[in-house]
Amino acid sequence: MKLITSNEQLLSLLPNMVTTVKGEALLFDKMTPFLSATEKWLEDNFTSEEVLSAIADLEASHTTRMLACQIAAYDAFHRAIPHLDVILTPNGFGIVSNSNIAPASKERVERLMASLLEHRDRLLMQFQPLLTAFKGWTESVQGRFFSATMFPNMDVTLRFLKPSGSRWEKFLALRSAVIPVEEFFARQYLSKEQLEVFRSEVLSGQYRSTRHQSICRILQAVEVRCLLNSDPTASMHFEHDALFDIVNTIRDNPEEFPEWHSSATAELYAPAVFENKKESLGYWF
């Protein structure tokens, strides 16, 4: 493991943990398989193996490393909770209990698990934008995953009612729903080339101009309206006016949007000009 490597470090990241006494198994030992699973989850979905290693090599006080460790602790503990109070005896499974501490109710455990996910996801919203600072991340599989839409960060979930599950799962659902909407917008209005520029700018937070930034904000608002509908691909057809306004801005400023002007989509907005020739079947004097 790279992020959390000792029992002391783990206990410092989890509140209200009772320190083990001599002869008891350390919490870190019990949590090792869950911590390993969490690091693999972070590598596969957010950082890449190389970037996670780079984060682990940062100073312990570095913001990115602190966030990664806290995320790992919350996620691993959430994974471990269903197993921590169950033991296997020669006679079958039993519940860990003693006369001093009463087992928590099912409702309290469920609230704890939900709270762990909420805290983890809030930290992920802060953590994921910091990954663009690491060399090679934007071009990685994980970086390309987040740059595939106009919403590269989980904070888009804050524009909707609080999900019943985790915000990460809500983000994945929103991402899947908005992809066909953006494909339609690219095909009919913005072009694939120009939309890729906008996505890259939103991911990095660096915009070519204030006009680019304004269009990105408008486009995000349009897509949120679509996503609020039960059928986003149906509602996208009602956004013609907003999209056409964006196209007009792009047409009027070719120096700021060369990608659009050199795209096949631009030809949709350049109708053929009729030439009056004598050899034509119909000729107007």
Side-chain angles (χ1 to χ4, degrees), residues 85-96:
D85 64 345
V86 178
I87 58 173
L88 179 61
T89 72
N91 297 319
F93 287 102
I95 302 296
V96 177

Side-chain angles (χ1 to χ4, degrees), residues 85-86 94-109:
D85 64 345
V86 178
I95 302 296
V96 177
S97 181
N98 57 49
S99 58
N100 298 320
I101 301 176
S105 66
K106 177 183 177 182
E107 290 74 19
R108 288 192 176 187
V109 173

Side-chain angles (χ1 to χ4, degrees), residues 25 69 79 108 117 129 176 202 205 221:
C69 290
R79 294 172 186 264
R108 288 192 176 187
L117 283 185
S176 296
V202 172

Side-chain angles (χ1 to χ4, degrees), residues 211-212 247-258 261:
R211 190 174 281 113
H212 269 240
V247 171
N248 280 335
T249 299
I250 292 174
R251 293 174 68 188
D252 293 342
N253 298 276
E255 71 285 352
E256 289 192 47
F257 306 94
H261 284 271

Side-chain angles (χ1 to χ4, degrees), residues 32-62:
T32 293
F34 306 104
L35 289 166
S36 296
T38 285
E39 285 197 4
K40 187 67 169 63
W41 177 74
L42 280 172
E43 286 181 357
D44 291 346
N45 293 283
F46 290 89
T47 64
S48 81
E49 183 178 358
E50 294 75 17
V51 171
L52 189 67
S53 295
I55 292 172
D57 290 338
L58 296 171
E59 294 291 332
S61 59
H62 195 284

